[in-house]
């Protein structure tokens, strides 16, 4: 098997944190099954609608690489002045970090939607993608 996909069953909370406040080399800690403790201040994101969070693991050049994507809608504007990472907590209470202190940083795309008269709410749609050795890392918050 050359790839696998992990999809979170449901998302309870989404937070953002500056990448500079994350521990160093969390991808290598994840490879070694070392728990990652996140001691930085987390900024809550209020979201609405369904959230899609998935991680695809692929074999590449005799090694493994992961690509995580996170899609959600919110009324909050996220800061773009620094690189930011995201912490996602699923309905089982397990938290994951998407991003790292080192390169490559998560890519954040945003789109403003005005909504439609039939009841679609207006807001921002964010799509976050991150590729690394380990991209969606379990953490303790």
């Amino acid at each position: 098997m050359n790839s696998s996909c992990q999809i979170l069953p449901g998302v309870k909370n989404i937070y953002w944190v500056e990448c500079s406040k994350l521990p160093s080399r969390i991808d290598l800690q994840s490879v070694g099954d070392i728990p990652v403790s996140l001691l930085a201040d987390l900024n809550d994101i209020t979201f609405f609608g369904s959230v899609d969070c998935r991680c695809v693991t692929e074999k590449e050049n005799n090694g493994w690489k992961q690509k995580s994507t996170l899609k959600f809608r919110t009324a909050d504007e996220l800061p773009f002045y620094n690189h930011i990472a995201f912490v996602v907590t699923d309905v089982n209470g397990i938290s994951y970090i998407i991003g790292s202190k080192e390169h490559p940083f998560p890519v954040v795309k945003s789109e403003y939607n005005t909504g439609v008269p039939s009841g679609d709410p207006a807001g921002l749609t964010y799509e976050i993608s991150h590729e690394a050795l380990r991209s969606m890392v379990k953490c303790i918050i």
Side-chain angles (χ1 to χ4, degrees):
M1 177 161 72
N2 288 335
S3 69
S4 66
C5 182
Q6 174 188 7
I7 302 172
L8 292 186
V11 174
K12 187 169 61 171
N13 298 98
I14 303 174
Y15 307 96
W16 68 267
V17 62
E18 290 184 31
C19 287
S20 61
K21 296 184 179 176
L22 293 175
S24 298
R25 298 311 308 227
I26 60 174
D27 56 345
L28 295 180
Q29 290 180 33
S30 176
V31 169
D33 286 333
I34 299 171
V36 175
S37 295
L38 190 56
L39 303 174
D41 291 330
L42 301 176
N43 301 288
D44 191 32
I45 299 172
T46 304
F47 61 90
F48 53 87
S50 62
V51 176
D52 182 32
C53 185
R54 62 183 63 215
C55 181
V56 177
T57 304
E58 295 179 329
K59 189 167 183 151
E60 183 180 281
N61 295 332
N62 294 326
W64 294 94
K65 181 173 92 171
Q66 289 185 341
K67 180 177 182 180
S68 295
T69 56
L70 171 64
K71 296 177 189 174
F72 62 92
R73 295 185 71 186
T74 183
D76 302 338
E77 288 192 39
L78 299 179
F80 285 104
Y81 56 85
N82 273 337
H83 297 290
I84 58 175
F86 295 85
V87 177
V88 178
T89 304
D90 68 8
V91 293
N92 297 322
I94 301 171
S95 297
Y96 300 89
I97 301 173
I98 299 174
S100 63
K101 187 175 187 174
E102 301 83 12
H103 288 281
F105 298 112
V107 176
V108 180
K109 295 180 186 175
S110 68
E111 177 183 340
Y112 182 74
N113 301 313
T114 57
V116 295
S118 66
D120 231 8
L124 292 159
T125 302
Y126 284 99
E127 181 177 341
I128 293 88
S129 59
H130 183 245
E131 289 187 34
L133 179 63
R134 292 286 186 270
S135 179
M136 199 164 77
V137 177
K138 283 186 184 179
C139 67
I140 302 166
I141 56 173

